[in-house]
Amino acid sequence: MELIRIPRIMLETSKQHLSKGKTIGLVPTMGALHEGHLSLIKRAKSENDIVAVSIFVNPIQFGQNEDLDKYPRDTEGDMEKLKSEGVDILFMPEVKTIYPARFSTYITVKDLSDRLCGAFRPGHFSGVATVVCKLFNIVMPTRAYFGQKDFQQTAVIKRTAEDLNMNVEIVVCPTMRESDGLAMSSRNAYLSHGERKAASVIYKALKTSSELIKAGNVNTADIQKHMHDMLKAEPLISETQYAGVYDADALDEINEFKKQNLIAIAVKIGSTRLIDNMLVEF
Amino acid sequence: MELIRIPRIMLETSKQHLSKGKTIGLVPTMGALHEGHLSLIKRAKSENDIVAVSIFVNPIQFGQNEDLDKYPRDTEGDMEKLKSEGVDILFMPEVKTIYPARFSTYITVKDLSDRLCGAFRPGHFSGVATVVCKLFNIVMPTRAYFGQKDFQQTAVIKRTAEDLNMNVEIVVCPTMRESDGLAMSSRNAYLSHGERKAASVIYKALKTSSELIKAGNVNTADIQKHMHDMLKAEPLISETQYAGVYDADALDEINEFKKQNLIAIAVKIGSTRLIDNMLVEF
């Protein structure tokens, strides 16, 4: 596995592969790799000649009171996992290389960025869109892989890529889950034993909602109430930021089911913020 | 000359040229071509294997009360000029192709965009940065050519390209001038005979300022007063939006001369807005 830290060298490396007609799959990550990331890497390996993984904890997608400083980092463990998966290139730039002092350009996706998580994390999706655009221009991937767990992120990135005519295919892969259904996330490491047990209620609320919707005879308000009731019944949930039924494209709340419906939840357990979602299609 | 209207076809055409090791020079324009544009094309031809010119009157860089609707258009005349210059590709997309209904992604360059013209044209440079990013992704130029007349535009585009790691060299070419010094601009066509004669005061104010600075014994306040006095003495100038001495990188007003100084003016003559600038270097 080749470790590259300098954007210019990453670009030259990609150009060389592309000039030989090779395809490049990029899996952008913030490190602290888990099975969710590894599933993206496996998919990328199956579809591309070269797989590049980036590890970069992107400061501009964290709010002032968020967890940038304590975000889990495990470079050695990550590198072992990437080698095991047969990753070709690890791109791990420094913050000052990606954001030099004069940096002042930001990408904003209107509307999509303000909903759901965006309402609780102002600037977050602008930070995501900006760094992903930079990574795409540095790595020049044929395809880039993201997990459905961060559904709104995938929507924002797809819109950015389409709107800015970026030459990359965005591939969204299924959410990987622990045995009790909890969506895998680097932030699960923040949870105490009791919190970790409590966290499975998120999946249960989504799963039962999905089943209720498919069984019929419920409306979106029923589902919203069902989810909120289940979350409220778990005393370790300190805040429910949102729980409801949303348009899978526009991400706005809907009052009637459509062909494709997003059910999504964001809660805080203690100080740890967790999100999850499912698509329910008719 | 190949006329291309569809971004996907433009991209495929560029990819074919690039795969053969050819370089592509792009001259982005809004049409109504004059000698200023043609000088960019000549420079692009001298430095690249393939020259592409885009003509696209970009609606999102016009404010609500600006001249989008009356902006001069002369497609047939433009095409004749481009053929005469030996341009290889004319990329002339439709507005609905560049901005489909769902379009919602904007690039913003902080600080640089708010100064000088930006203070009078909110959103303008975001519109410029966004369309230029799109054009770069569609045409994949090796180099892109812009005129120094739109100095702030070149600064914003250079910053966007650097900040977003875009793989293109930005080439800034000298301002082309009429015989009386007036900077060439498609908007000069708006001027009546009397306004056209009056407009040369802009160049004269810059030229005399440049000479005063180089002669020494003046400070930036003297120069600012000199420019304002000259502009005020021309009765057809209806508004002086700015006239002063600025840092050539940050574009903020400066109180002491530096190694590189930008002197710049924006005025209205009747309802026509005109800008011009010079660099004064020590």
Side-chain angles (χ1 to χ4, degrees), chain A residues 104-105 134 137 163-165, chain B residues 104-105 134 137 163-165:
Chain A
S104 50
T105 305
K134 285 171 67 72
N137 285 334
D163 283 353
L164 297 183
N165 304 85
Chain B
S104 50
T105 305
K134 286 172 67 72
N137 285 334
D163 283 354
L164 298 183
N165 303 86

Side-chain angles (χ1 to χ4, degrees), chain B residues 10-25:
Chain B
M10 181 67 240
L11 176 64
E12 288 311 318
T13 304
S14 285
K15 276 187 177 170
Q16 278 189 17
H17 289 302
L18 294 169
S19 73
K20 290 175 194 155
K22 298 204 189 265
T23 56
I24 300 173

Side-chain angles (χ1 to χ4, degrees), chain B residues 226-245:
Chain B
H226 168 74
M227 289 199 275
H228 277 272
D229 287 347
M230 277 192 75
L231 296 167
K232 254 181 227 158
E234 171 46 66
L236 288 182
I237 289 192
S238 48
E239 180 189 356
T240 297
Q241 294 193 335
Y242 60 79
V245 186

